[in-house]
Structure formats: structure tokens, C-alpha cells
Amino acid sequence: MDIVVSGVRPTNRQHIGNYFGAVKNFVEMQSQYNCYFFVADYHSLTTHPHPADLSANVRQTVIEYLACGLDPEKCVLYRQSDVPQIPELYLVFNMLAYLGELERAATFKEKVRSQPDNVNAGLLTYPVLMAVDIIVHRALKVPVGKDQLQHLEMTRTFANRFNHLYGVEYFPEPQAFSFSEKSASIPSLDGEGKMSKSKGESTVIYLDDDSDTIRKKMMRAKTDTGPTEPNSVKSQSVQNLFDIMQLISSQDTYNFFNESFNNCTIRYGDFKKQLGEDMVKFIEPIRERIKEISANEAYINKVLNEGGEKARLSASKTLNDVREIIGFRKF
Ligand code: ADP
Ligand code: TRP
């Protein structure tokens, strides 16, 4: 069975964009592959989070992943910092990554622009750490969004460089499982771009939003002045809402509003009300599971302890081999 690895940076709340764009794919993959999913807490240190926030965000991310259907019986779910083999292999791979190629990474250049006061070495070597996350389990498949494809390319470069330098065929070439092509991109409720927590509270539906908040946010979603002639092209903001409806409402509901748009009888108030109710129905079970899991500290710890154990087992096999290959041997 192919090995899959993917990491998520810890955040305090996941939204439906994260769900449809990422987590849902993980849930589907866990039954088909040997999956390692982890919370990338070392990566998040590049922004110097407050210790209490870091801890709370890791916890919340794990809870929300579990609530969305990641099953610790089917996949290995762990915290990156519970696997000491990762920083050790990271040290080794830092010797194989060249300054020039790291400086050319789009994510690094973006950080240099956006946070000139905190261009730390960890940002520069972020792709090395990410490569190690993947190759430490000798993974073949990496489900990531488009913005991570360059990092995947760098991962292949580092893995091949290791093989070449030491004359081995040890690390396979991991391929991107680019689900952003296949899976839905969830638009922002303000009609512009994709849903993202950076765009502000009211444009994002969180997995733990309460029902009234969801209804209010949906009612405030951007529309337009309405269709004036039959079968007209939908404006971006209205199309966005139809796209969301396609994902969470029944086909009948979608068809009903689509037809009423096409024959110009649609009332956006009713449309958004329906979308709000369907969103409430969609979120409710997830929110309830978040609450349940959140109240069960013993379960969360058990999941992370067992996940950490399995991840360390896999990582230590790789690390023992690597130490042998590079010449860290007993006399
Ligand atoms: P945000 O933009 O809210 O900060 P992240 O960048 O943390 O979200 O994204 C985490 C994962 O969720 C990524 O795999 C990304 O591709 C996916 N994702 C985020 N927003 C959306 C969206 N609106 N539609 C589809 N996928 C998304
Ligand atoms: N860099 C990824 C992101 O920003 C998160 C990540 C860290 C990751 N390590 C990984 C993703 C390994 C896939 C595989 O979203």
C-alpha cells in the first residue's frame, strides 16, 4: 500500500474551505493508503507563537481533524514535535540544501516581502523540514494544495541528491497528490477570491460556528441586483453561492434555485436562507463532535500518544538506515 504523508499548520479553527479543500480528501485517502497525517508544530515556530496559543492550536487542529472523520484506527495522526527523528534528519538534509535554491522558493520570497523584520533561518529552510516530514516515512504520495507544489519539487531534488551523493536508491520520489485540481475550491462569502481565515470573520464559515452565526453569515453573503433576463450568466458572487449549494444542499434544492435564477423568479433572500439552513445541517454534526472530543482529554492524549508511537517507529527505521548510509557506524 502506498505511503501518504501530509501536514497541516496548527490553527485555532478550520473552516469549510479547509474541509472541502483538504480534510475531506484525507478522510477518503485513509481507507485506501497507508496514511501519516500530522500537525506541523515545528513549522509554526517560524512565526514565534505564544506557547499557550501553540499548544491550544495543536489541540484544536487534532480535535477538528478527528471530528471531520480522520480515524486513528485507519491512519497515523500525530504531532510533528513528538517525532525527534524529524529534527535529526532535518539536520542531515540541511547539508544537502543549497542557499541559492532555498532563496528561490516562492514562499520564502513572499515572507521576505511580508515580514522583513523576521526573516529567520527557519523560514529559509522550511522546505527542508517539509521534505523531511515526507521522506522520513519514505512516502510516495503527498496531498497538498497548489501553493505547496514547489516544495514537493524541492523534496524530490533533496531525495535524489541524497541517493546520488551516497550511491543508493534509498528515497523514492514523492509525487504531489494535487487535490486542489480535483476538489472544490470554496469561495469567500464576500464574493472575492477563496475562503480564507485571513479575509475576516464574516466571510468564513468555521466548523465550530454556532447555528445562528452560520445563518447570519449566509444572509450577509454578497449577491447582486438579480437576473434581468432568462438564462443570464451569474455574477461571480452569485455563482460562488451556487457552488457552495452544490456541495452542501440536495440536488433538488440546487435545481430549484438554479431554475428560478434562470427564469428570473429567484429571491436571493430565500436562496440564502435555504443555503443557511443547509449549512447549519452540514456543520451541526461536526460541531457536536468537536464539542464531544474536546471534552475528552484522555481520548485526545491517547490518539496522540499512539500516533506518535507509530510515527516514531516508521521514522526511526528510516533514520537508522540513513545513519548507516552516511557513515555514522559502530566500530
Ligand atoms: P487559510 O487560507 O484559511 O489560511 P490554509 O492556507 O491554512 O487556509 O489552508 C489549509 C488547507 O486548506 C490547504 O490544503 C488549502 O489548500 C485548503 N484550503 C484553504 N482554503 C480553501 C478554500 N477556500 N477552498 C479549498 N481549499 C482550501
Ligand atoms: N507546508 C505545508 C502548508 O503550509 C504544511 C506541511 C508541512 C506539509 N509539512 C508537510 C504538507 C509535509 C505536506 C507534507 O500547508
Side-chain angles (χ1 to χ4, degrees):
M1 221 190 317
D2 281 356
I3 297 174
V4 171
V5 169
S6 199
V8 58
R9 281 169 288 133
T11 76
N12 58 350
R13 303 166 87 191
Q14 304 273 325
H15 52 73
I16 58 160
N18 303 137
Y19 177 80
F20 284 106
V23 193
K24 186 168 179 269
N25 299 280
F26 296 165
V27 172
E28 281 163 19
M29 290 180 98
Q30 66 181 349
S31 326
Q32 297 165 40
Y33 302 103
N34 191 354
C35 293
Y36 290 84
F37 296 125
F38 69 96
V39 184
D41 51 357
Y42 277 130
H43 281 283
S44 69
L45 293 185
T46 55
T47 57
H48 309 153
H50 188 282
D53 291 339
L54 176 61
S55 165
N57 288 349
V58 169
R59 181 178 178 278
Q60 191 65 17
T61 305
V62 170
I63 291 170
E64 297 197 349
Y65 268 42
L66 290 168
C68 288
L70 278 197
D71 179 351
E73 303 285 318
K74 294 186 182 151
C75 68
V76 181
L77 180 59
Y78 62 102
R79 191 163 37 190
Q80 187 185 32
S81 63
D82 281 340
V83 185
Q85 290 81 5
I86 292 173
E88 189 173 339
L89 196 59
Y90 170 59
L91 184 148
V92 171
F93 270 79
N94 272 324
M95 315 301 175
L96 298 178
Y98 293 105
L99 182 58
E101 64 193 343
L102 295 173
E103 282 173 337
R104 279 195 297 278
T107 44
F108 179 69
K109 289 198 269 189
E110 203 279 315
K111 293 290 179 193
V112 171
R113 266 194 306 273
S114 64
Q115 51 180 67
D117 296 339
N118 180 23
V119 184
N120 60 66
L123 278 178
L124 183 70
T125 58
Y126 185 108
V128 184
L129 182 54
M130 175 159 164
V132 167
D133 291 329
I134 297 162
I135 63 180
V136 80
H137 301 299
R138 300 172 76 196
L140 284 177
K141 291 190 165 61
V142 186
V144 282
K146 271 205 196 98
D147 59 331
Q148 299 296 313
L149 293 183
Q150 193 185 20
H151 290 159
L152 247 287
E153 188 62 50
M154 294 171 86
T155 303
R156 286 190 287 274
T157 301
F158 301 147
N160 284 328
R161 196 171 288 156
F162 178 93
N163 290 345
H164 192 247
L165 183 64
Y166 295 104
V168 290
E169 283 190 26
Y170 186 68
F171 289 114
E173 276 199 350
Q175 301 299 328
F177 216 78
S178 181
F179 52 61
S180 55
E181 312 265 302
K182 287 165 252 152
S183 69
S185 174
I186 304 295
S188 171
L189 298 183
D190 65 4
E192 280 160 43
K194 64 169 205 156
M195 188 175 283
S196 168
K197 56 186 171 295
S198 60
K199 296 198 72 195
E201 211 34 43
S202 63
T203 64
V204 176
I205 304 275
Y206 287 101
L207 298 181
D208 66 348
D209 269 345
D210 63 54
S211 298
D212 278 346
T213 304
I214 295 170
R215 289 188 183 101
K216 274 191 204 126
K217 285 182 182 175
M218 286 321 299
M219 286 315 282
R220 282 196 213 120
K222 190 160 180 246
T223 51
D224 55 27
T225 50
T228 47
E229 50 185 81
N231 302 314
S232 50
V233 176
K234 298 182 179 88
S235 66
Q236 189 61 53
S237 50
V238 171
Q239 181 63 49
N240 286 351
L241 297 181
F242 272 97
D243 288 348
I244 295 176
M245 182 169 258
Q246 183 87 73
L247 288 169
I248 59 155
S249 303
S250 71
Q251 193 62 43
D252 282 352
T253 304
Y254 179 88
N255 291 346
F256 172 81
F257 284 102
N258 199 36
E259 274 161 36
S260 60
F261 179 89
N262 284 335
N263 63 28
C264 303
T265 57
I266 192 164
R267 287 163 51 169
Y268 286 145
D270 295 343
F271 173 53
K272 291 198 282 187
K273 193 158 186 225
Q274 179 71 46
L275 201 51
E277 289 313 316
D278 290 343
M279 188 62 79
V280 163
K281 271 195 221 119
F282 176 79
I283 295 284
E284 195 173 35
I286 299 180
R287 188 183 59 227
E288 290 312 307
R289 278 198 300 275
I290 292 175
K291 267 194 213 144
E292 248 169 61
I293 298 168
S294 198
N296 193 345
E297 223 64 67
Y299 175 67
I300 304 167
N301 283 324
K302 179 170 176 282
V303 167
L304 287 179
N305 287 341
E306 291 178 3
E309 186 94 19
K310 288 183 201 157
R312 283 192 296 275
L313 194 64
S314 155
S316 65
K317 271 181 70 189
T318 306
L319 205 75
N320 287 340
D321 292 343
V322 166
R323 291 178 64 94
E324 177 66 29
I325 291 168
I326 63 182
F328 290 160
R329 295 173 186 158
K330 285 216 165 70
F331 301 114

